[in-house]
Amino acid sequence: IAGLGGTVLPGLPNTVGIVAEGPKLAYDARSGSIRVAQGQVQAGLRYTVAAAALPRVDDLRAITASVPRALERFAAIGPPPPAVVDLLEQSPKTSKWDQFDFLRTWILGNVTATGTGVPKSVPAERIQDMIAGSREGSPYEIVAAQAMLARWAGIPSRIGYGFDGGELIDGKLEVRPRNGASFPEVYFPGHGWLPVIGTPTKAKPTVGGDPSTQQQDPSVLP
């Protein structure tokens, strides 16, 4: 670790073990976060994280187990607006994964990202507008829409924050604030919480932003 302040350390989804020398570390199984138990993160700290392998799509499609009762609250949500009802009717029912993948892909392919990704309240009315109205939303709203659609489909979900990608420099992957990303996490029995990262295919140009803090993705069309 170099140049990282605060107490929270980067980790991996579904961590099963951590090996470190030096300060005592603490792990929060609910959020999946790793932090130093006392003080701040010090430069030069090294640690190894072991995590469960990501499942294959076929593994997710084969799941028939029900959601554990302790996680049912992560599927709780109010009634869906009309546009969501129509979208759910269009979605495949072959498996919960296929249904969620259809819903999230529809949002990423049809809603244009606009503005900054500042977290805020996202009521059902905003999802109605994003699907059947303006078809625009902030990056955070687009993530929230995916998480809410998962719940409307009966899949436990929440919004996660982490890092996506990085830059390979001198044989090391450097991860910086501009690599930060919000994404939906969905729960599948037997595999735990899975981050599902996707990028909107269209975005409005950002005016007046700091280019050093923004990712440049040529696959995103204006």
Side-chain angles (χ1 to χ4, degrees):
I1 296 293
L4 178 66
T7 62
V8 179
L9 295 164
L12 292 172
N14 293 323
T15 295
V16 295
I18 306 169
V19 177
E21 295 182 1
K24 183 178 179 181
L25 303 183
Y27 177 70
D28 183 346
R30 185 191 65 83
S31 64
S33 63
I34 307 168
R35 64 178 63 241
V36 290
Q38 293 182 333
Q40 302 281 311
V41 175
Q42 299 296 318
L45 171 63
R46 294 176 180 269
Y47 62 104
T48 301
V49 178
L54 292 174
R56 299 174 301 171
V57 169
D58 287 342
D59 296 331
L60 298 177
R61 286 175 173 157
I63 295 173
T64 58
S66 58
V67 175
R69 180 168 295 181
L71 293 173
E72 288 179 350
R73 63 191 179 95
F74 287 101
I77 193 170
V84 170
V85 173
D86 292 341
L87 202 59
L88 289 171
E89 290 179 352
Q90 299 174 38
S91 64
K93 308 302 187 295
T94 48
S95 71
K96 284 297 184 183
W97 167 258
D98 288 335
Q99 187 176 25
F100 172 66
D101 194 39
F102 170 86
L103 296 170
R104 77 177 188 92
T105 302
W106 195 98
I107 291 294
L108 294 172
N110 292 277
V111 178
T112 299
T114 178
T116 59
V118 178
K120 62 180 180 180
S121 176
V122 183
E125 292 78 10
R126 276 297 298 131
I127 309 302
Q128 172 73 19
D129 178 68
M130 291 166 66
I131 295 175
S134 68
R135 291 205 174 184
E136 292 183 355
S138 72
Y140 182 83
E141 288 175 324
I142 289 175
V143 171
Q146 297 173 68
M148 294 168 72
L149 284 166
R151 292 194 177 197
W152 277 314
I155 303 169
S157 69
R158 62 188 184 184
I159 295 176
Y161 179 84
F163 296 93
D164 179 27
E167 185 177 3
L168 194 62
I169 299 178
D170 295 331
K172 295 181 179 180
L173 185 68
E174 290 193 0
V175 180
R176 297 182 177 275
R178 64 172 172 266
N179 302 119
S182 294
F183 44 81
E185 287 188 330
V186 287
Y187 182 90
F188 282 88
H191 298 285
W193 287 102
L194 303 176
V196 184
I197 298 176
T199 304
T201 59
K202 295 172 289 186
K204 284 189 172 181
T206 301
V207 179
D210 182 355
S212 67
T213 64
Q214 298 175 356
Q215 297 191 52
Q216 303 299 319
D217 189 340
S219 68
V220 179
L221 301 177

